Amino acid sequence: MAALTAIEKVRLRISDQNSEIFTDAEVQDFLDENGSDMLLASASALEATAASAALVSKVEKIGGFNIDKSKIPDVLLKTAQRYRDMAGGMGTPAIDAIEQS
């Protein structure tokens, strides 16, 4: 089995193995912005995903069930923070920006 590339490792951490959320170029940009640190790149990608999810998060009623998507951004941001902590506690700029809005 071949070793995973940095892009593949980031995709694995953010559950985007099928390139459904980000292109390879976008994942590479997260890596470039974070000094090739895969944990920080993963955190940035999750923060970007959380920002998008926050725009459409709501509670939907389907049949007799309520589906609460409003918690998704929080889960993504907590996971991003965990990755930042694992990387040595490097700042949380996107989380601060989202919490202020």
Side-chain angles (χ1 to χ4, degrees):
M1 186 164 149
L4 296 176
T5 66
I7 289 174
E8 291 169 329
K9 288 179 182 180
V10 170
R11 286 193 183 287
L12 186 62
R13 284 188 175 91
I14 66 170
S15 297
D16 187 32
Q17 293 93 323
N18 296 321
S19 304
E20 295 173 359
I21 302 171
F22 298 108
T23 65
D24 282 350
E26 290 168 327
V27 175
Q28 185 61 56
D29 191 52
F30 289 126
L31 284 161
D32 293 345
E33 288 178 353
N34 288 284
S36 297
D37 186 305
M38 289 175 279
L39 289 170
L40 294 177
S42 298
S44 292
L46 287 172
E47 290 162 352
T49 303
S52 294
L55 296 174
V56 295
S57 61
K58 59 184 174 183
V59 177
E60 293 182 47
K61 187 168 185 158
I62 299 175
F65 299 96
N66 288 331
I67 299 174
D68 186 357
K69 296 181 180 180
S70 66
K71 304 287 185 212
I72 293 171
D74 292 335
V75 171
L76 294 170
L77 291 174
K78 285 179 184 175
T79 304
Q81 185 58 52
R82 191 178 83 225
Y83 288 157
R84 287 190 180 284
D85 291 344
M86 289 169 59
M90 309 269 301
T92 57
I95 292 173
D96 292 341
I98 290 171
E99 287 177 350
Q100 290 176 6
S101 55

Coordinates of all heavy atoms in Angstrom, one line a residue:
M1 N 0.8 -1.2 0.0 CA 0.0 0.0 0.0 C 0.9 1.2 0.0 O 1.8 1.4 0.8 CB -0.9 0.0 1.2 CG -1.9 1.1 1.3 SD -3.2 0.6 2.5 CE -3.6 2.2 3.0
A2 N 0.6 2.1 -0.9 CA 1.4 3.4 -1.0 C 1.1 4.3 0.1 O 0.0 4.4 0.6 CB 1.2 4.0 -2.4
A3 N 2.1 5.1 0.5 CA 1.9 6.1 1.5 C 0.9 7.2 1.0 O 0.9 7.5 -0.2 CB 3.2 6.8 1.9
L4 N 0.1 7.8 1.9 CA -0.8 8.8 1.5 C 0.0 10.1 1.3 O 1.0 10.4 2.0 CB -1.8 9.1 2.6 CG -2.8 7.9 2.8 CD1 -3.7 8.3 4.0 CD2 -3.6 7.6 1.6
T5 N -0.5 10.9 0.3 CA 0.1 12.3 0.1 C -0.5 13.2 1.2 O -1.4 12.9 1.9 CB -0.3 12.8 -1.3 OG1 -1.7 13.0 -1.3 CG2 0.1 11.9 -2.4
A6 N 0.1 14.4 1.3 CA -0.4 15.4 2.3 C -1.8 15.7 2.0 O -2.6 15.8 2.9 CB 0.5 16.6 2.2
I7 N -2.1 15.9 0.7 CA -3.5 16.2 0.3 C -4.5 15.1 0.8 O -5.5 15.3 1.3 CB -3.6 16.5 -1.2 CG1 -3.0 17.8 -1.5 CG2 -5.1 16.5 -1.6 CD1 -2.9 18.1 -3.0
E8 N -4.1 13.9 0.5 CA -4.9 12.7 0.9 C -5.1 12.6 2.5 O -6.1 12.3 3.0 CB -4.3 11.4 0.4 CG -4.4 11.3 -1.1 CD -3.6 10.2 -1.7 OE1 -2.6 9.8 -1.1 OE2 -4.0 9.6 -2.7
K9 N -4.0 13.0 3.2 CA -4.1 12.9 4.6 C -5.0 14.0 5.2 O -5.8 13.8 6.1 CB -2.7 13.1 5.3 CG -1.8 11.9 5.1 CD -0.5 12.1 5.7 CE 0.4 10.9 5.4 NZ 1.8 11.0 6.0
V10 N -5.0 15.2 4.6 CA -5.9 16.3 4.9 C -7.3 15.8 4.6 O -8.3 15.9 5.4 CB -5.6 17.6 4.2 CG1 -6.7 18.6 4.5 CG2 -4.3 18.2 4.8
R11 N -7.5 15.3 3.4 CA -8.9 14.8 3.0 C -9.4 13.8 4.0 O -10.6 13.7 4.4 CB -8.9 14.2 1.6 CG -8.7 15.2 0.5 CD -9.0 14.6 -0.8 NE -8.8 15.6 -1.9 CZ -9.7 16.6 -2.1 NH1 -10.8 16.7 -1.3 NH2 -9.5 17.4 -3.1
L12 N -8.5 12.9 4.5 CA -8.9 11.8 5.4 C -9.4 12.4 6.7 O -10.4 12.1 7.3 CB -7.8 10.9 5.7 CG -8.0 9.6 6.5 CD1 -9.1 8.8 5.9 CD2 -6.8 8.9 6.7
R13 N -8.7 13.5 7.2 CA -9.1 14.1 8.5 C -10.4 14.9 8.4 O -11.0 15.1 9.4 CB -7.9 15.0 8.9 CG -6.8 14.3 9.5 CD -5.7 15.3 10.1 NE -4.7 14.5 10.7 CZ -3.6 14.1 10.1 NH1 -3.3 14.5 8.9 NH2 -2.7 13.4 10.8
I14 N -10.7 15.4 7.2 CA -11.9 16.2 7.0 C -13.0 15.5 6.4 O -14.1 16.0 6.0 CB -11.6 17.5 6.3 CG1 -11.2 17.3 4.8 CG2 -10.5 18.4 7.0 CD1 -11.2 18.5 4.0
S15 N -12.9 14.2 6.2 CA -13.9 13.3 5.6 C -14.3 13.7 4.2 O -15.5 13.8 3.9 CB -15.1 13.2 6.5 OG -14.8 12.6 7.7
D16 N -13.3 14.0 3.4 CA -13.5 14.4 2.0 C -12.7 13.6 1.1 O -12.1 14.0 0.1 CB -13.1 15.9 1.9 CG -13.5 16.5 0.5 OD1 -14.5 16.0 -0.1 OD2 -12.8 17.4 0.0
Q17 N -12.7 12.3 1.3 CA -11.9 11.4 0.5 C -12.3 11.3 -1.0 O -11.5 11.0 -1.8 CB -11.9 9.9 1.1 CG -11.3 9.8 2.4 CD -12.3 9.9 3.6 OE1 -13.2 10.7 3.5 NE2 -12.1 9.1 4.6
N18 N -13.5 11.7 -1.3 CA -14.0 11.6 -2.6 C -14.0 13.0 -3.3 O -14.7 13.2 -4.3 CB -15.4 11.0 -2.7 CG -15.4 9.6 -2.2 OD1 -14.5 8.8 -2.6 ND2 -16.4 9.2 -1.5
S19 N -13.3 13.9 -2.7 CA -13.2 15.3 -3.3 C -14.6 15.9 -3.5 O -14.8 16.7 -4.5 CB -12.4 15.3 -4.6 OG -11.2 14.7 -4.4
E20 N -15.5 15.7 -2.6 CA -16.8 16.3 -2.7 C -16.9 17.7 -2.2 O -17.8 18.5 -2.6 CB -17.9 15.4 -2.0 CG -18.0 14.0 -2.7 CD -18.9 13.1 -1.9 OE1 -19.4 13.5 -0.8 OE2 -19.0 12.0 -2.3
I21 N -16.0 18.1 -1.3 CA -16.1 19.4 -0.7 C -15.0 20.3 -1.3 O -15.4 21.5 -1.7 CB -15.9 19.3 0.8 CG1 -16.9 18.4 1.5 CG2 -15.9 20.7 1.5 CD1 -16.7 18.0 2.9
F22 N -13.8 19.9 -1.4 CA -12.7 20.7 -1.9 C -12.0 20.1 -3.0 O -11.9 18.8 -3.1 CB -11.7 21.0 -0.8 CG -12.2 21.8 0.4 CD1 -12.5 21.1 1.6 CD2 -12.5 23.1 0.3 CE1 -13.0 21.8 2.7 CE2 -13.1 23.8 1.4 CZ -13.3 23.2 2.6
T23 N -11.5 20.9 -3.9 CA -10.6 20.4 -5.0 C -9.2 20.1 -4.5 O -8.9 20.6 -3.4 CB -10.5 21.4 -6.2 OG1 -9.8 22.6 -5.7 CG2 -11.9 21.7 -6.7
D24 N -8.4 19.4 -5.2 CA -7.0 19.2 -4.8 C -6.3 20.6 -4.6 O -5.5 20.8 -3.7 CB -6.2 18.4 -5.8 CG -6.5 16.9 -5.6 OD1 -7.2 16.5 -4.6 OD2 -6.1 16.1 -6.5
A25 N -6.6 21.5 -5.5 CA -5.9 22.8 -5.5 C -6.3 23.6 -4.2 O -5.5 24.3 -3.6 CB -6.3 23.7 -6.7
E26 N -7.6 23.4 -3.8 CA -8.0 24.1 -2.6 C -7.4 23.5 -1.3 O -6.9 24.2 -0.4 CB -9.6 24.0 -2.5 CG -10.3 24.9 -3.5 CD -11.8 24.6 -3.6 OE1 -12.2 23.5 -3.4 OE2 -12.5 25.6 -3.9
V27 N -7.3 22.2 -1.3 CA -6.6 21.5 -0.2 C -5.1 21.9 -0.2 O -4.6 22.2 0.9 CB -6.8 20.0 -0.3 CG1 -5.9 19.3 0.8 CG2 -8.2 19.6 -0.2
Q28 N -4.5 22.0 -1.3 CA -3.1 22.4 -1.4 C -3.0 23.8 -0.9 O -2.0 24.2 -0.2 CB -2.6 22.3 -2.8 CG -1.1 22.6 -2.9 CD -0.2 21.7 -2.1 OE1 -0.3 20.5 -2.3 NE2 0.6 22.2 -1.2
D29 N -4.0 24.7 -1.2 CA -3.9 26.1 -0.7 C -4.0 26.1 0.9 O -3.2 26.9 1.5 CB -5.1 26.9 -1.3 CG -4.9 28.4 -1.0 OD1 -3.8 28.9 -1.3 OD2 -5.9 29.0 -0.5
F30 N -4.8 25.2 1.5 CA -4.8 25.2 2.9 C -3.5 24.7 3.5 O -3.0 25.2 4.5 CB -5.9 24.2 3.4 CG -7.3 24.7 3.2 CD1 -8.3 23.9 2.5 CD2 -7.8 25.9 3.7 CE1 -9.6 24.3 2.4 CE2 -9.1 26.3 3.6 CZ -10.0 25.5 2.9
L31 N -2.9 23.8 2.8 CA -1.5 23.3 3.2 C -0.5 24.5 3.1 O 0.3 24.7 4.0 CB -1.1 22.1 2.3 CG -1.7 20.8 2.7 CD1 -1.6 19.8 1.6 CD2 -1.1 20.2 4.0
D32 N -0.5 25.2 1.9 CA 0.4 26.3 1.7 C 0.2 27.4 2.8 O 1.2 27.9 3.3 CB 0.2 26.9 0.3 CG 0.6 25.9 -0.8 OD1 1.3 24.9 -0.5 OD2 0.2 26.2 -2.0
E33 N -1.0 27.7 3.1 CA -1.3 28.8 4.1 C -0.9 28.4 5.5 O -0.7 29.3 6.3 CB -2.8 29.1 4.1 CG -3.3 29.8 2.9 CD -4.8 30.1 2.9 OE1 -5.5 29.6 3.8 OE2 -5.3 30.8 2.0
N34 N -0.7 27.1 5.7 CA -0.4 26.6 7.0 C 1.0 25.9 7.1 O 1.2 25.1 7.9 CB -1.5 25.6 7.5 CG -2.8 26.4 7.8 OD1 -2.9 27.0 8.9 ND2 -3.7 26.3 6.9
G35 N 1.9 26.4 6.2 CA 3.3 25.9 6.3 C 3.4 24.4 6.1 O 4.2 23.8 6.7
S36 N 2.5 23.8 5.3 CA 2.5 22.4 5.0 C 2.1 21.5 6.2 O 2.3 20.3 6.2 CB 3.8 21.9 4.4 OG 4.0 22.5 3.2
D37 N 1.6 22.1 7.3 CA 1.2 21.4 8.5 C -0.2 20.8 8.2 O -1.2 21.5 8.0 CB 1.1 22.3 9.7 CG 0.8 21.6 11.0 OD1 -0.2 20.9 11.0 OD2 1.6 21.7 11.9
M38 N -0.3 19.5 8.2 CA -1.5 18.8 7.8 C -2.6 19.0 8.8 O -3.8 19.1 8.5 CB -1.2 17.3 7.5 CG -0.5 17.1 6.2 SD 0.0 15.4 6.0 CE 1.4 15.3 7.0
L39 N -2.2 19.1 10.1 CA -3.3 19.3 11.1 C -3.9 20.7 11.0 O -5.1 20.9 11.1 CB -2.7 19.1 12.5 CG -2.4 17.7 12.9 CD1 -1.6 17.6 14.2 CD2 -3.6 16.9 13.0
L40 N -3.0 21.7 10.8 CA -3.5 23.1 10.7 C -4.3 23.2 9.4 O -5.3 24.0 9.3 CB -2.3 24.1 10.7 CG -1.6 24.2 12.1 CD1 -0.5 25.1 12.0 CD2 -2.6 24.6 13.2
A41 N -3.8 22.6 8.3 CA -4.5 22.7 7.0 C -5.9 22.0 7.2 O -6.9 22.5 6.7 CB -3.8 22.0 5.9
S42 N -6.0 20.9 7.9 CA -7.3 20.2 8.2 C -8.2 21.2 9.0 O -9.4 21.3 8.7 CB -7.0 18.9 8.9 OG -6.3 18.0 8.2
A43 N -7.6 21.8 10.0 CA -8.4 22.8 10.8 C -9.0 23.9 9.9 O -10.1 24.2 10.0 CB -7.5 23.3 11.9
S44 N -8.1 24.4 9.1 CA -8.6 25.5 8.2 C -9.7 25.1 7.3 O -10.7 25.8 7.0 CB -7.4 26.1 7.4 OG -6.5 26.7 8.2
A45 N -9.6 23.9 6.7 CA -10.6 23.3 5.9 C -11.9 23.1 6.6 O -13.0 23.4 6.1 CB -10.1 22.0 5.2
L46 N -11.8 22.6 7.8 CA -13.0 22.4 8.6 C -13.7 23.7 9.0 O -14.9 23.8 9.0 CB -12.7 21.6 9.9 CG -12.4 20.1 9.6 CD1 -12.0 19.4 10.9 CD2 -13.7 19.4 9.1
E47 N -12.9 24.7 9.3 CA -13.4 26.1 9.6 C -14.1 26.6 8.3 O -15.2 27.3 8.5 CB -12.3 27.0 10.1 CG -11.8 26.6 11.4 CD -10.5 27.2 11.8 OE1 -9.8 27.8 10.9 OE2 -10.1 27.0 13.0
A48 N -13.6 26.4 7.2 CA -14.2 26.9 5.9 C -15.5 26.2 5.7 O -16.5 26.8 5.3 CB -13.3 26.7 4.7
T49 N -15.5 24.9 6.0 CA -16.7 24.1 5.8 C -17.8 24.5 6.8 O -19.0 24.6 6.5 CB -16.4 22.6 6.0 OG1 -15.4 22.2 5.1 CG2 -17.6 21.7 5.8
A50 N -17.4 24.8 8.1 CA -18.3 25.3 9.1 C -18.9 26.6 8.7 O -20.1 26.8 8.9 CB -17.6 25.4 10.4
A51 N -18.1 27.5 8.1 CA -18.7 28.8 7.7 C -19.7 28.6 6.7 O -20.8 29.2 6.7 CB -17.5 29.7 7.2
S52 N -19.5 27.7 5.7 CA -20.5 27.4 4.7 C -21.7 26.7 5.3 O -22.9 27.1 4.9 CB -19.9 26.5 3.6 OG -18.9 27.1 2.9
A53 N -21.5 25.8 6.2 CA -22.6 25.1 6.8 C -23.5 26.0 7.7 O -24.7 25.8 7.7 CB -22.1 23.9 7.7
A54 N -22.9 27.0 8.3 CA -23.6 27.9 9.1 C -24.6 28.7 8.3 O -25.7 29.1 8.8 CB -22.6 28.9 9.8
L55 N -24.3 28.9 7.0 CA -25.2 29.7 6.2 C -26.5 28.9 5.9 O -27.5 29.5 5.6 CB -24.5 30.0 4.8 CG -23.3 30.9 4.9 CD1 -22.6 31.1 3.5 CD2 -23.7 32.3 5.4
V56 N -26.5 27.6 5.9 CA -27.6 26.8 5.6 C -28.1 25.9 6.7 O -29.0 25.1 6.5 CB -27.4 25.9 4.3 CG1 -27.1 26.8 3.1 CG2 -26.2 25.0 4.5
S57 N -27.5 26.1 7.9 CA -27.9 25.2 9.0 C -29.3 25.6 9.5 O -29.6 26.7 9.7 CB -26.9 25.2 10.1 OG -26.8 26.5 10.6
K58 N -30.1 24.6 9.6 CA -31.5 24.8 10.1 C -32.0 23.4 10.6 O -31.4 22.4 10.5 CB -32.4 25.3 9.0 CG -32.4 24.4 7.7 CD -33.2 25.0 6.6 CE -33.0 24.1 5.4 NZ -33.7 24.6 4.2
V59 N -33.2 23.5 11.1 CA -33.9 22.3 11.5 C -35.0 22.0 10.4 O -35.8 22.8 10.1 CB -34.6 22.4 12.9 CG1 -35.4 21.2 13.2 CG2 -33.6 22.8 13.9
E60 N -34.9 20.8 9.8 CA -35.8 20.4 8.8 C -36.8 19.3 9.3 O -36.4 18.5 10.1 CB -35.1 19.8 7.6 CG -34.2 20.7 6.9 CD -33.5 20.1 5.7 OE1 -34.2 19.4 4.9 OE2 -32.3 20.2 5.5
K61 N -38.0 19.4 8.9 CA -39.0 18.4 9.3 C -39.2 17.5 8.0 O -39.7 18.0 7.0 CB -40.3 19.0 9.8 CG -41.2 18.0 10.3 CD -42.4 18.6 11.1 CE -43.2 17.5 11.7 NZ -44.0 18.0 12.8
I62 N -38.9 16.2 8.2 CA -39.2 15.3 7.1 C -40.1 14.2 7.7 O -39.6 13.4 8.5 CB -37.8 14.7 6.6 CG1 -37.0 15.8 6.0 CG2 -38.1 13.7 5.5 CD1 -35.6 15.4 5.6
G63 N -41.3 14.1 7.1 CA -42.2 13.2 7.7 C -42.5 13.5 9.1 O -42.8 14.7 9.5
G64 N -42.3 12.6 10.0 CA -42.5 12.8 11.4 C -41.2 13.1 12.2 O -41.2 13.0 13.4
F65 N -40.2 13.3 11.4 CA -38.8 13.5 12.1 C -38.3 14.9 11.9 O -38.5 15.5 10.8 CB -37.8 12.5 11.4 CG -38.2 11.1 11.6 CD1 -38.9 10.4 10.7 CD2 -37.9 10.4 12.8 CE1 -39.2 9.0 10.8 CE2 -38.2 9.1 13.0 CZ -38.9 8.4 12.0
N66 N -37.7 15.4 12.9 CA -36.9 16.7 12.8 C -35.5 16.3 12.6 O -34.9 15.6 13.4 CB -37.1 17.5 14.1 CG -38.5 18.1 14.2 OD1 -39.2 18.3 13.1 ND2 -39.0 18.3 15.4
I67 N -34.9 17.0 11.6 CA -33.4 16.8 11.4 C -32.8 18.1 11.7 O -33.0 19.1 11.0 CB -33.1 16.3 10.0 CG1 -33.8 15.0 9.7 CG2 -31.6 16.3 9.7 CD1 -33.8 14.5 8.3
D68 N -32.0 18.1 12.8 CA -31.3 19.4 13.2 C -29.9 19.5 12.7 O -29.0 18.8 13.1 CB -31.3 19.4 14.8 CG -30.8 20.7 15.3 OD1 -30.4 21.6 14.5 OD2 -30.8 20.8 16.6
K69 N -29.8 20.3 11.6 CA -28.5 20.6 11.0 C -27.8 21.8 11.6 O -26.7 22.1 11.3 CB -28.6 20.8 9.5 CG -29.2 19.6 8.8 CD -29.3 19.8 7.3 CE -29.8 18.7 6.5 NZ -29.9 18.9 5.1
S70 N -28.4 22.4 12.6 CA -27.9 23.6 13.2 C -26.6 23.4 14.0 O -25.9 24.3 14.3 CB -28.9 24.4 14.0 OG -29.3 23.6 15.1
K71 N -26.4 22.1 14.4 CA -25.2 21.8 15.3 C -24.0 21.4 14.5 O -22.9 21.3 15.0 CB -25.6 20.6 16.2 CG -26.8 20.8 17.0 CD -26.5 21.8 18.2 CE -27.8 21.8 19.1 NZ -28.0 23.1 19.7
I72 N -24.2 21.2 13.2 CA -23.0 20.8 12.3 C -21.9 21.8 12.4 O -20.7 21.4 12.6 CB -23.5 20.6 10.9 CG1 -24.4 19.4 10.8 CG2 -22.3 20.4 9.9 CD1 -25.1 19.1 9.5
P73 N -22.1 23.1 12.2 CA -20.9 24.0 12.3 C -20.2 23.9 13.7 O -19.0 23.9 13.7 CB -21.6 25.4 12.2 CG -22.8 25.2 11.4 CD -23.3 23.8 11.9
D74 N -20.9 23.7 14.8 CA -20.3 23.6 16.1 C -19.4 22.4 16.1 O -18.3 22.4 16.7 CB -21.3 23.5 17.2 CG -22.1 24.8 17.4 OD1 -21.5 25.9 17.0 OD2 -23.2 24.8 17.9
V75 N -19.9 21.3 15.6 CA -19.1 20.0 15.6 C -17.8 20.2 14.8 O -16.7 19.8 15.2 CB -19.9 18.8 15.1 CG1 -19.1 17.6 14.9 CG2 -21.1 18.6 16.1
L76 N -18.0 20.8 13.6 CA -16.8 21.1 12.7 C -15.8 22.0 13.4 O -14.6 21.7 13.3 CB -17.3 21.7 11.4 CG -18.1 20.8 10.5 CD1 -18.7 21.5 9.3 CD2 -17.3 19.6 10.0
L77 N -16.3 23.0 14.1 CA -15.3 23.9 14.7 C -14.6 23.3 15.9 O -13.4 23.5 16.2 CB -16.1 25.2 15.2 CG -16.5 26.1 14.0 CD1 -17.4 27.2 14.6 CD2 -15.4 26.6 13.3
K78 N -15.3 22.4 16.6 CA -14.7 21.7 17.8 C -13.6 20.8 17.2 O -12.5 20.6 17.8 CB -15.7 21.0 18.6 CG -16.6 21.9 19.4 CD -17.6 21.1 20.2 CE -18.5 22.1 21.0 NZ -19.6 21.5 21.7
T79 N -13.9 20.1 16.1 CA -12.9 19.2 15.6 C -11.7 20.0 15.1 O -10.5 19.6 15.3 CB -13.5 18.4 14.4 OG1 -14.6 17.7 14.9 CG2 -12.5 17.4 13.8
A80 N -12.0 21.2 14.4 CA -10.9 22.0 14.0 C -10.0 22.5 15.1 O -8.8 22.5 15.1 CB -11.4 23.3 13.2
Q81 N -10.6 22.8 16.2 CA -9.9 23.3 17.4 C -9.0 22.1 18.0 O -7.9 22.3 18.4 CB -10.8 23.8 18.5 CG -10.1 24.4 19.7 CD -9.1 25.5 19.3 OE1 -9.5 26.4 18.7 NE2 -7.8 25.4 19.7
R82 N -9.6 20.9 18.0 CA -8.8 19.8 18.4 C -7.5 19.6 17.5 O -6.5 19.3 18.1 CB -9.7 18.5 18.4 CG -9.0 17.3 19.1 CD -9.8 16.1 19.2 NE -9.6 15.4 17.9 CZ -10.6 14.9 17.1 NH1 -11.8 14.9 17.5 NH2 -10.3 14.3 16.0
Y83 N -7.7 19.7 16.2 CA -6.5 19.6 15.3 C -5.5 20.7 15.6 O -4.3 20.5 15.6 CB -7.0 19.7 13.9 CG -7.7 18.4 13.4 CD1 -8.5 18.5 12.3 CD2 -7.5 17.2 14.0 CE1 -9.1 17.3 11.8 CE2 -8.1 16.0 13.5 CZ -8.9 16.1 12.4 OH -9.6 15.0 12.0
R84 N -6.0 22.0 15.9 CA -5.1 23.1 16.2 C -4.4 22.8 17.5 O -3.2 23.0 17.6 CB -5.9 24.4 16.3 CG -6.3 24.9 14.9 CD -6.8 26.3 15.0 NE -7.2 26.7 13.7 CZ -6.4 27.1 12.7 NH1 -5.1 27.1 12.9 NH2 -6.8 27.5 11.5
D85 N -5.1 22.2 18.5 CA -4.4 21.9 19.8 C -3.4 20.8 19.5 O -2.3 20.9 20.1 CB -5.5 21.4 20.8 CG -6.4 22.5 21.2 OD1 -6.1 23.7 21.0 OD2 -7.5 22.1 21.8
M86 N -3.7 19.8 18.7 CA -2.7 18.8 18.4 C -1.5 19.3 17.7 O -0.4 18.8 17.9 CB -3.4 17.7 17.6 CG -4.4 16.9 18.3 SD -5.4 15.8 17.2 CE -4.2 14.8 16.4
A87 N -1.7 20.4 16.9 CA -0.6 21.0 16.2 C 0.2 21.9 17.1 O 1.2 22.5 16.6 CB -1.1 21.7 15.0
G88 N -0.2 22.1 18.3 CA 0.6 23.0 19.2 C -0.1 24.2 19.6 O 0.5 25.2 20.0
G89 N -1.4 24.3 19.4 CA -2.2 25.4 19.9 C -2.1 26.6 19.0 O -2.3 27.7 19.5
M90 N -1.7 26.5 17.8 CA -1.6 27.6 16.9 C -3.0 28.3 16.7 O -3.9 27.6 16.2 CB -1.1 27.2 15.5 CG 0.2 26.4 15.6 SD 1.7 27.3 15.5 CE 1.6 28.1 14.0
G91 N -3.2 29.5 17.1 CA -4.4 30.3 16.9 C -5.6 29.7 16.4 O -5.7 28.7 15.9
T92 N -6.7 30.5 16.5 CA -8.0 30.1 16.0 C -8.7 31.2 15.3 O -9.8 31.6 15.7 CB -8.9 29.6 17.2 OG1 -9.0 30.6 18.1 CG2 -8.4 28.3 17.8
P93 N -8.1 31.8 14.2 CA -8.7 33.0 13.6 C -10.1 32.8 13.1 O -11.0 33.6 13.3 CB -7.7 33.3 12.5 CG -7.0 32.0 12.2 CD -7.0 31.3 13.5
A94 N -10.4 31.7 12.4 CA -11.7 31.5 11.8 C -12.8 31.3 12.9 O -13.9 31.8 12.8 CB -11.7 30.3 10.8
I95 N -12.4 30.6 13.9 CA -13.4 30.4 15.0 C -13.7 31.7 15.7 O -14.9 32.0 15.9 CB -12.8 29.4 16.1 CG1 -12.7 28.0 15.4 CG2 -13.7 29.3 17.3 CD1 -12.0 27.0 16.3
D96 N -12.8 32.5 15.9 CA -13.0 33.8 16.5 C -13.9 34.7 15.6 O -14.9 35.3 16.1 CB -11.7 34.6 16.8 CG -10.9 34.0 17.8 OD1 -11.4 33.2 18.6 OD2 -9.7 34.2 17.9
A97 N -13.7 34.7 14.3 CA -14.5 35.4 13.4 C -15.9 35.0 13.4 O -16.9 35.8 13.3 CB -13.9 35.4 12.0
I98 N -16.2 33.7 13.4 CA -17.5 33.1 13.4 C -18.2 33.4 14.6 O -19.4 33.8 14.6 CB -17.5 31.6 13.1 CG1 -17.0 31.4 11.6 CG2 -18.8 31.0 13.3 CD1 -16.7 29.9 11.3
E99 N -17.6 33.3 15.8 CA -18.2 33.6 17.1 C -18.6 35.0 17.2 O -19.6 35.4 17.9 CB -17.3 33.1 18.2 CG -17.2 31.6 18.3 CD -16.3 31.2 19.4 OE1 -15.5 32.0 20.0 OE2 -16.3 30.0 19.7
Q100 N -17.9 35.9 16.6 CA -18.2 37.4 16.7 C -19.4 37.8 15.8 O -20.0 38.8 16.1 CB -17.0 38.2 16.2 CG -15.8 38.1 17.2 CD -14.6 38.9 16.8 OE1 -14.7 39.5 15.8 NE2 -13.5 38.7 17.5
S101 N -19.7 37.0 14.8 CA -20.9 37.3 14.0 C -22.2 36.9 14.5 O -22.3 36.3 15.5 CB -20.7 36.7 12.6 OG -20.5 35.4 12.6

